[in-house]
Amino acid sequence: MPDSNALDSTRFAALQQTPLWDFALTFYSRPGVEQACLTLQDDAGVDVCELLFHGWLYVHGLEALPESLEALRQARRDWQTGVTEVLRGLRRDLKHHDAPSETVTALRERIKQAELLAERENLQRWQTWAWDNEQPTARLRNVPVSSQDAGRWLQESVLLPQDAKMEGCGSKTRQALQHAFSVLGQQLDPLRRAR
């Protein structure tokens, strides 16, 4: 009997036809997704690019093998910390600048564009890893058909490696994070491709 979790070549081919950036733009614009992503980013330190990567895989019926993700996850976090978060910090600092001038407003807008480009580059690197044709079965597998709801699945895919962050949260913050994952799951399910 074949392994139902083994990588399905049809799902992999469909994934290769859908750029992660295109998925990210579509998904991020769905109701409640932007706020849910920002809540997870700001309150739990979740890397939104990784979150979007897992969502992209999920809608294609795929998931990354946890053991194969470790090196990539660290490289992507290093990029986020060293590039994206630096730009985000500058942009946010300028937002609270005393009496912003036209020049400060223009500078803030340019930094915002640079931050978006940094996120796009990060997503491109996640995508390249997933699309690599050399042994995709060593990186990806089918999501089990009987998997729990998408929000819970996403929470386990993204937060389990950093579960300690959830443990330190108060009950109100924990509820907000669980609500954010629930919103994301509700928005992912309609996008999930038919199997």
Side-chain angles (χ1 to χ4, degrees), residues 17-33:
Q17 298 301 312
T18 309
L20 176 52
W21 179 251
D22 293 350
F23 165 80
L25 292 176
T26 299
F27 183 59
Y28 205 76
S29 69
R30 293 184 63 86
V33 170

Side-chain angles (χ1 to χ4, degrees), residues 87-124:
L87 293 167
R88 183 178 303 126
L90 288 170
R91 178 181 54 81
R92 286 179 174 177
D93 287 349
L94 287 174
K95 183 176 185 179
H96 303 293
H97 194 271
D98 292 335
S101 66
E102 199 174 290
T103 306
V104 169
T105 302
L107 176 60
R108 187 172 179 275
E109 187 56 36
R110 291 233 173 122
I111 293 171
K112 183 178 179 181
Q113 291 304 312
E115 180 185 353
L116 187 62
L117 287 172
E119 288 177 336
R120 187 173 185 166
E121 176 63 23
N122 199 12
L123 289 172
Q124 181 66 40

